[in-house]
Structures are given as structure tokens and as C-alpha cells.
Amino acid sequence: TQVFDIEYSYSYYKRPNLELGISAGIYWMNSLSELNVTGNVILAGSNTEEFRSNYKATQRLVAPLPLFGLSASYEINPLWLMHANARYFDVTISDIHGRILSFNVKTEYFFTNNLALGASLTSFAVNVEHSGVVLLNTLQYEYDGIQAYLVLKY
């Protein structure tokens, strides 16, 4: 599976301690499924079962999902920053249905002008269903996680 996540953000409200923005982008998935079967199968275009000892079928799922989001950054004081963003989209195009939801909340505390310690909480879920000729191809991926990181600003 290959994943490409491309996003453009625009800050429409900017004050010394608050920034609000919107974003648009695309989350593109390219996945290949393979089915290997031994047994009775019904082939596409036929109503008759036949025994196959080495039946193989593949199906590619290409799912470009557009995303729209909101973001906010707030400076609690000159050393402590908070950031949050959310992205979402739900669409059905032809035989592909996809939904994506992403949240991220993080905080950063600067010990010096150039060095900060940060922590974030992320939740991400993508679900894509493709009704293909051979089978119903479903891809579901979710994760929730926390992260601690170091910021170096120059």
C-alpha cells in the first residue's frame, strides 16, 4: 500500500496570540489485494461452480480522498503554545466509498528561544470500500497515539 498526504493551509485570522486557518488537500491510497483459492469457485460471467486448485485473483484499489480541515494555534504566553487541527471528508464516487477523519492536538513549551519540548495526541481513521468485479475490497486503518518530541527553532 502506498499513501500520499498532501495539504495546503491558509491562515485567515492572525492576531499576536491566536491564529485560525483552513486547509484543503488529498489523501491518496494505492493498494493491491490478492486472493489465492483452492476449491469450488464461480467465475465472473458464469453461474456454474468449478473446481480450481490454483485460482488467483487480484484487484487494485486506488482511492483519492479529498480533505478539508480547520486549524487553530494559541500562544498562552511567549513560551507556551497550543495547536489543534481536524480534517474530514466523506464521499461516494461510482463504486468507491471513502471516509477519513483526523484530529491532532499538541502543546509546545520553549525553554529557550530555540529549544522546546512538545507533546501531541493524534487520532486518525480512514475507511475505503471498493465494489469490484472479483470481490468487495475494504481497507480500514485507524490509530490513536501520543507523542513526545523536541523542537529546534532557528
Side-chain angles (χ1 to χ4, degrees):
T1 300
Q2 299 168 327
V3 175
F4 303 96
D5 189 357
I6 302 166
E7 179 182 26
Y8 175 78
S9 297
Y10 175 73
S11 295
Y12 64 88
Y13 181 84
K14 198 164 188 171
R15 295 294 182 261
N17 65 341
L18 179 64
E19 184 174 335
L20 302 175
I22 57 174
S23 65
I26 191 164
Y27 189 87
W28 192 292
M29 300 175 67
N30 185 4
S31 179
L32 181 64
S33 299
E34 184 175 297
L35 178 67
N36 293 306
V37 177
T38 298
N40 291 338
V41 296
I42 299 175
L43 300 176
S46 172
N47 293 329
T48 309
E49 281 188 17
E50 60 182 84
F51 180 79
R52 293 286 178 103
S53 62
N54 59 353
Y55 179 74
K56 181 178 178 180
T58 60
Q59 185 166 339
R60 182 169 297 281
L61 171 66
V62 178
L65 295 173
L67 284 172
F68 299 99
L70 300 172
S71 63
S73 294
Y74 181 70
E75 184 180 283
I76 297 170
N77 62 44
L79 301 176
W80 191 8
L81 306 174
M82 296 287 294
H83 308 281
N85 66 38
R87 301 184 303 165
Y88 177 78
F89 200 74
D90 190 331
V91 67
T92 300
I93 301 172
S94 185
D95 58 352
I96 297 175
H97 174 78
R99 182 180 66 251
I100 189 167
L101 179 62
S102 173
F103 292 106
N104 186 18
V105 177
K106 63 183 180 177
T107 184
E108 297 169 350
Y109 185 80
F110 282 84
F111 297 101
T112 69
N113 288 337
N114 301 44
L115 187 64
L117 184 62
S120 70
L121 173 63
T122 300
S123 181
F124 178 85
V126 63
N127 186 359
V128 179
E129 292 181 1
H130 177 226
S131 302
V133 175
V134 177
L135 50 95
L136 176 66
N137 195 357
T138 301
L139 178 62
Q140 186 172 357
Y141 180 69
E142 298 180 15
Y143 69 84
D144 297 307
I146 58 173
Q147 179 182 26
Y149 58 93
L150 195 62
V151 177
L152 180 61
K153 183 169 65 171
Y154 58 93

